[in-house]
Amino acid sequence: MLEAEDLDRLRAIVGPERLSTGESELELHSRDESHHPPSRPEAVVWPRSAEEISAILKLANSRKIPVTPWAGGTSLEGNPIPVRGGLVLDMRLMDRVLWIRPEDLQVRVEAGLDFVRLNERLERYGLFFPPDPGAVATIGGMVANDAKGIRAMKYGSTGDHVLGLEVVLPTGEIVELGSRAWRSSSGYDLKRLFIGSEGTLAVITEVTLGLSGLPAEFLAAVVSFASLAEAARAVAELVGAGLVPAALEFMDEETVALINKFNKLGLPERPTLFLEFQGSSRAALEDDLQLVRQICAGAHRLETGLGREERDRLWEARHLIHDTIRKAFPKVAGIVVDVAVPLSRYPELVEYAKWALQEHGLKGYLFGHAGLGGLHAELLYHPGEGDELDRAEAANAAIVHRALELGGTATGEHGVGLGKRRFMEREHGPSLELMRKIKALLDPNGIMNPGKVL
Amino acid sequence: MLEAEDLDRLRAIVGPERLSTGESELELHSRDESHHPPSRPEAVVWPRSAEEISAILKLANSRKIPVTPWAGGTSLEGNPIPVRGGLVLDMRLMDRVLWIRPEDLQVRVEAGLDFVRLNERLERYGLFFPPDPGAVATIGGMVANDAKGIRAMKYGSTGDHVLGLEVVLPTGEIVELGSRAWRSSSGYDLKRLFIGSEGTLAVITEVTLGLSGLPAEFLAAVVSFASLAEAARAVAELVGAGLVPAALEFMDEETVALINKFNKLGLPERPTLFLEFQGSSRAALEDDLQLVRQICAGAHRLETGLGREERDRLWEARHLIHDTIRKAFPKVAGIVVDVAVPLSRYPELVEYAKWALQEHGLKGYLFGHAGLGGLHAELLYHPGEGDELDRAEAANAAIVHRALELGGTATGEHGVGLGKRRFMEREHGPSLELMRKIKALLDPNGIMNPGKVL
């Protein structure tokens, strides 16, 4: 519990205008975009520097006050919901670009900057930060979750772009990790301990990112298949053939029908793959597309040569699947399944997910970053009505267990948060104990985002 | 000190034929390929399974016996030299390919397999494991060092290919990390803690690797420059232009002269860049090469369109630089500098290294994986004669400090071992203390490869 004295001391650190205990702010910081029940913090603080965060954490650590870093609030597993109350550190005032070194393909940013604004700033240099999780996430949140999104197949995850990190440990110590070298073998790679740690080990305050050149050329294709199985098999064949598309996305026929309706796309309402190839050479992309045509020769329809406008509309529609479902069913909530398996098992996973929906009598949509074996299923339920939520939870658990049986992971990109904790023992076995020891080492009082991941 | 009773217990674990205290074996396990002074272990054991290693570590941990895992012995910073004696675990009997799943682009191997033999096994599937450090290193050694080599620019480091690891902790616990999914956000990425830990935290026993398709096409180019500065500047320009060669190697004129002489290459004896582009599309590679021609228009000579044989000879010569120096100067030893900096600072680094050679009155050769900002300098000295070794050490330290000032790292790929420990405080600052805490957490008795890294 935060005492009045704690609040006074916090106000002394950040000034009274950057601390709130108001109902509306507590409410805004009680929920992310997931189905997990909201839980309010006792106060929200908006720090402006690592030094302020250091002072806050020293106080919180000595008083054993829970501290949950808050980024864009766009997560899908309850990752930043302050389930034990305490303090939320809203990072969004720390949104500066600290430097851009185009000649090194590097940028240094504060953690609260969102990636869309970062990419706007980078465009004039012909550079970009490729990970794109869809929602307008902050760089800090993306690092904390090792966010991936549609372009990870070609460009890697958020963590793969992190050259350096500044973090504030629960003791208040400010630590710099990594360097500006693109590769290093210098000691333990501690950066990677914090990447994907979901705010349970430290607060990420600054990030040095390695960038990519904006591709000069792109080619997109849409392939519609007669059956789910054929679409899923094509994924494994395309990747097995050595193709590295910038994006390779799967959608089932219900998802295509939905985005057709809301975006007037006129796609055949069949299991579908969206592909995009990016590079500096048009000829190379044409070669890639030729290989796609060969592999997908038996598909229901194969459309290539999309113009930029048509391609942008497709990707926007893909990005907005989650929002479109919300719009289509305003009284309905959804659990977003997020698993990944080795590619050869992708057909089994997709068919199992489809079966699980039917088996549990649920309406749902299947889609995902197929090129990395990723599958999402958005399982709909009417909150408070009957046992629909229980059935959706059961279907989610069944799909996760199937993914683990197939050699995969309980969470491809959304993180563990609240929703995937119950699968950690099954996925990690004895190494979970090692994670617990590391948590206890870095955060002995358990103040950092308690109740998450472990 | 190993007691007779310890040896009996070890023999009971592995059988008498897989333990040696013979002079020649102790001598063979006393040195790597570096200039660091040899130090013998008290016994060498050749385990065949994680279970045997578990039993050995339990014994060693209870008796506080130093244990140093031994891989290919090809390291360049004294990484596996058993400076505190004790036991060496020679991993080279654990060299099986456990499975190949070509449809998933994955392979599982025991740690003692070398990457050359692995790639021979993979060739029939059209797949390969790209990292190539030059020497015939084992997969376990490459993971322990996060080895990079000439192809890391396009394909990433060894660690970037690791999907899963089996490790044996000093307690004897056998732990599996990661999964077969290509991407995951499931808890802390503990794999990365062991990748690059140089045997100081655990013994790596099995590795699941993600593979790449063998490129159908390659194009190589050799560019000779009028000056060192021009060659170094071209590196930054080539990478800044968005080119991602499979390899982009730098050599100074002395190095070119040396490999010319021993390999009859007939290259202009000037600062030189070797480039290779790989991919599925010939047209794309031609486009890349066209861009190289534009950027290097002012070069002394630019040779493209090398045939496979000529290209293979070039790469072999590049790989053998270290051995060629040994052959050219049989009575001379060398310190191999290994640093990396952001690309825009590469010209400064190269010129500084050249200056440091002159300043310290040393003969030496400069070369390196320029595309990632990596520079090696092989500094020659006559062992036991005058202060040449001291001067070589001083030049090495000066180059490392300059690399750190330029935002780089003390070791791009050879690891910390013995040679880079003294720079860790300067490079890592407070995060070094965090590394020490993690070491103490995982290896409280300090038995794993003591005296290294930290």
Side-chain angles (χ1 to χ4, degrees):
Chain A
M1 273 291 287
L2 276 168
E3 310 282 347
E5 199 186 325
D6 297 323
L7 291 172
D8 287 343
R9 290 168 71 186
L10 288 166
R11 282 190 196 96
I13 295 167
V14 298
E17 74 288 358
R18 287 193 277 118
L19 181 146
S20 173
T21 55
E23 287 295 302
S24 65
E25 286 298 350
L26 300 186
E27 184 61 25
L28 280 170
H29 293 84
S30 71
R31 63 183 79 232
D32 62 359
E33 291 185 12
S34 74
H35 68 289
H36 294 289
S39 170
R40 289 185 180 190
E42 295 160 71
V44 180
V45 167
W46 287 264
R48 279 201 180 276
S49 69
E51 289 69 27
E52 286 183 358
I53 293 171
S54 170
I56 294 166
L57 291 187
K58 279 179 191 160
L59 168 64
N61 204 28
S62 71
R63 292 271 299 114
K64 299 199 168 76
I65 298 165
V67 176
T68 302
W70 190 274
T74 56
S75 51
L76 290 166
E77 282 297 357
N79 319 58
I81 296 177
V83 288
R84 308 264 169 89
L87 203 58
V88 156
L89 288 189
D90 188 320
M91 298 296 292
R92 285 176 294 182
L93 293 184
M94 290 180 66
D95 64 349
R96 289 180 301 168
V97 174
L98 298 169
W99 48 253
I100 302 176
R101 292 188 173 144
E103 68 283 13
D104 288 323
L105 293 85
Q106 294 180 4
V107 67
R108 177 88 166 179
V109 300
E110 289 184 318
L113 179 71
D114 75 62
F115 80 97
V116 177
R117 279 170 57 216
L118 172 62
N119 279 332
E120 285 166 7
R121 285 285 300 273
L122 294 173
E123 196 175 359
R124 57 183 287 205
Y125 303 101
L127 297 171
F128 80 126
F129 169 62
D132 176 356
V136 183
T138 68
I139 300 297
M142 290 173 74
V143 172
N145 242 36
D146 198 10
K148 289 147 193 103
I150 58 168
R151 287 192 284 252
M153 191 175 170
K154 181 179 174 75
Y155 296 99
S157 74
T158 299
D160 294 334
H161 292 80
V162 174
L163 301 176
L165 279 183
E166 182 190 73
V167 301
V168 187
L169 300 177
T171 54
E173 194 176 11
I174 301 170
V175 179
E176 178 70 30
L177 307 164
S179 73
R180 296 212 300 115
W182 279 86
R183 293 280 189 282
S184 172
S185 285
S186 184
Y188 308 150
D189 190 357
L190 295 182
K191 291 191 309 292
R192 290 281 183 170
L193 201 52
F194 297 96
I195 294 166
S197 66
E198 303 183 28
T200 64
L201 297 178
V203 180
I204 296 166
T205 46
E206 293 183 13
V207 187
T208 304
L209 294 169
L211 305 170
S212 294
L214 275 170
E217 303 282 349
F218 75 91
L219 278 177
V222 185
V223 195
S224 315
F225 293 85
S227 73
L228 208 61
E230 281 174 55
R233 274 202 304 272
V235 170
E237 282 176 47
L238 290 162
V239 180
L243 287 168
V244 185
L248 171 45
E249 294 289 312
F250 161 78
M251 267 161 281
D252 71 353
E253 54 196 278
E254 284 80 5
T255 306
V256 177
L258 184 82
I259 64 170
N260 258 351
K261 190 175 156 194
F262 278 78
N263 303 274
K264 307 207 189 325
L265 296 172
L267 298 170
E269 298 187 356
R270 304 244 176 194
T272 297
L273 300 179
F274 281 4
L275 291 100
E276 180 162 318
F277 295 91
Q278 298 184 343
S280 53
S281 156
R282 185 100 194 155
L285 305 189
E286 297 281 5
D287 282 0
D288 286 344
L289 221 50
Q290 189 50 36
L291 193 48
V292 174
R293 281 189 204 100
Q294 281 171 29
I295 291 168
C296 300
H300 172 75
R301 197 169 109 185
L302 191 150
E303 199 184 346
T304 58
L306 306 177
R308 186 169 289 266
E309 197 181 328
E310 203 172 351
R311 166 258 204 176
D312 288 348
R313 275 176 57 215
L314 275 181
W315 285 119
E316 200 191 341
R318 165 63 188 88
H319 268 330
L320 292 175
I321 289 176
H322 181 67
D323 293 337
T324 305
I325 293 171
R326 295 279 88 75
K327 228 191 290 180
F329 305 96
K331 291 184 181 161
V332 164
I335 290 181
V336 187
V337 180
D338 162 46
V339 291
V341 295
L343 281 175
S344 66
R345 319 311 292 270
Y346 200 65
E348 282 168 81
L349 177 70
V350 170
E351 298 224 51
Y352 182 86
K354 199 72 173 179
W355 174 85
L357 284 177
Q358 285 159 4
E359 179 71 9
H360 292 89
L362 294 164
K363 184 166 181 58
Y365 294 90
L366 301 183
F367 51 96
H369 313 309
L372 291 167
L375 181 70
H376 297 310
E378 184 135 357
L379 311 174
L380 305 189
Y381 66 93
H382 292 79
E385 281 182 35
D387 65 346
E388 237 179 6
L389 173 57
D390 295 341
R391 282 185 278 128
E393 295 270 23
N396 182 20
I399 296 168
V400 170
H401 279 125
R402 190 79 191 115
L404 293 174
E405 280 164 16
L406 295 172
T409 178
T411 167
E413 55 176 2
H414 295 167
V416 178
L418 292 167
K420 294 290 169 65
R421 289 175 71 201
R422 61 189 167 131
F423 306 109
M424 290 298 95
E425 186 72 43
R426 167 77 179 73
E427 177 164 354
H428 296 291
S431 73
L432 189 62
E433 190 49 36
L434 209 50
M435 293 185 202
R436 289 201 187 99
K437 283 182 182 164
I438 283 172
K439 167 76 175 173
L441 176 74
L442 290 175
D443 181 21
N445 293 328
I447 63 165
M448 293 305 306
N449 200 5
K452 308 301 164 53
V453 181
L454 298 171
Chain B
M1 274 290 287
L2 276 168
E3 310 283 348
E5 198 187 325
D6 297 323
L7 291 172
D8 287 343
R9 290 166 73 186
L10 288 166
R11 283 191 195 96
I13 295 167
V14 296
E17 73 289 356
R18 286 194 277 119
L19 181 146
S20 174
T21 55
E23 287 294 303
S24 65
E25 286 297 350
L26 300 186
E27 184 60 25
L28 280 169
H29 293 85
S30 70
R31 63 183 78 233
D32 61 0
E33 292 185 11
S34 74
H35 68 290
H36 294 289
S39 170
R40 289 185 180 188
E42 296 160 70
V44 181
V45 167
W46 287 264
R48 279 202 179 274
S49 69
E51 289 69 27
E52 286 183 358
I53 293 171
S54 170
I56 294 166
L57 291 186
K58 277 179 192 160
L59 168 64
N61 204 28
S62 71
R63 293 270 300 112
K64 299 199 167 75
I65 298 166
V67 176
T68 303
W70 190 274
T74 56
S75 51
L76 289 166
E77 283 296 357
N79 319 58
I81 296 178
V83 288
R84 308 265 168 89
L87 203 58
V88 156
L89 288 190
D90 188 320
M91 299 296 291
R92 286 177 294 183
L93 293 184
M94 291 180 65
D95 64 348
R96 289 180 300 167
V97 174
L98 298 168
W99 48 252
I100 303 176
R101 292 190 173 144
E103 68 283 13
D104 288 323
L105 293 85
Q106 294 179 5
V107 67
R108 176 87 165 179
V109 300
E110 289 184 317
L113 180 70
D114 75 63
F115 80 97
V116 177
R117 280 169 57 215
L118 172 61
N119 279 333
E120 284 165 9
R121 286 285 300 274
L122 294 173
E123 196 175 1
R124 57 183 286 206
Y125 302 102
L127 297 172
F128 80 128
F129 169 62
D132 177 356
V136 182
T138 68
I139 300 296
M142 290 173 73
V143 172
N145 243 35
D146 198 9
K148 288 145 194 105
I150 59 167
R151 287 192 284 251
M153 190 176 171
K154 181 180 173 74
Y155 295 100
S157 74
T158 299
D160 295 334
H161 293 80
V162 174
L163 301 175
L165 279 183
E166 182 189 74
V167 300
V168 187
L169 300 177
T171 54
E173 194 176 12
I174 302 171
V175 179
E176 178 69 31
L177 308 164
S179 73
R180 296 213 300 113
W182 279 86
R183 293 278 190 284
S184 173
S185 285
S186 185
Y188 308 150
D189 190 357
L190 295 183
K191 290 191 310 292
R192 290 281 183 172
L193 201 52
F194 297 95
I195 293 166
S197 67
E198 303 183 29
T200 64
L201 297 178
V203 181
I204 296 166
T205 46
E206 292 184 14
V207 187
T208 305
L209 294 168
L211 305 169
S212 294
L214 274 169
E217 303 282 349
F218 74 91
L219 278 177
V222 184
V223 195
S224 316
F225 292 85
S227 73
L228 209 61
E230 281 173 54
R233 274 202 305 272
V235 171
E237 282 175 47
L238 290 162
V239 180
L243 287 168
V244 185
L248 170 44
E249 294 289 314
F250 162 77
M251 266 161 282
D252 71 354
E253 54 196 278
E254 284 79 7
T255 307
V256 176
L258 184 81
I259 64 170
N260 257 350
K261 189 173 156 195
F262 278 77
N263 302 276
K264 308 208 188 324
L265 296 173
L267 298 171
E269 298 186 355
R270 303 243 176 196
T272 297
L273 300 179
F274 281 4
L275 291 100
E276 180 162 318
F277 295 91
Q278 299 184 344
S280 54
S281 157
R282 185 101 194 153
L285 305 190
E286 296 283 4
D287 282 359
D288 286 344
L289 221 50
Q290 190 49 37
L291 193 48
V292 174
R293 281 191 203 98
Q294 282 172 28
I295 291 169
C296 300
H300 172 75
R301 196 169 110 185
L302 192 150
E303 199 184 346
T304 59
L306 306 177
R308 185 169 289 265
E309 198 181 326
E310 202 173 351
R311 165 258 204 178
D312 288 349
R313 275 177 57 217
L314 275 182
W315 285 119
E316 201 191 341
R318 164 63 188 88
H319 268 330
L320 292 175
I321 289 176
H322 181 66
D323 293 339
T324 305
I325 293 171
R326 295 278 89 74
K327 229 191 290 182
F329 305 97
K331 291 183 180 163
V332 163
I335 291 181
V336 187
V337 179
D338 163 45
V339 291
V341 294
L343 281 174
S344 66
R345 319 311 292 270
Y346 200 64
E348 282 168 81
L349 177 70
V350 171
E351 298 225 51
Y352 183 86
K354 198 72 172 179
W355 174 86
L357 284 177
Q358 285 160 2
E359 179 71 9
H360 291 88
L362 294 164
K363 184 165 180 60
Y365 295 90
L366 301 183
F367 51 97
H369 313 309
L372 291 168
L375 181 70
H376 296 310
E378 185 135 356
L379 311 175
L380 304 189
Y381 66 94
H382 292 78
E385 281 182 36
D387 66 344
E388 236 179 7
L389 173 57
D390 294 342
R391 281 185 279 129
E393 295 270 24
N396 182 19
I399 295 168
V400 170
H401 279 124
R402 189 80 189 114
L404 293 175
E405 279 164 16
L406 294 173
T409 177
T411 166
E413 55 176 2
H414 294 167
V416 178
L418 292 168
K420 293 291 170 65
R421 289 174 71 200
R422 60 188 166 133
F423 307 109
M424 290 298 95
E425 186 71 43
R426 166 76 179 75
E427 177 165 354
H428 296 292
S431 74
L432 190 61
E433 190 48 36
L434 208 50
M435 293 186 203
R436 290 202 186 98
K437 284 182 181 164
I438 283 173
K439 166 76 175 174
L441 176 73
L442 289 176
D443 181 22
N445 292 329
I447 63 164
M448 293 305 306
N449 199 6
K452 309 300 166 53
V453 181
L454 299 172

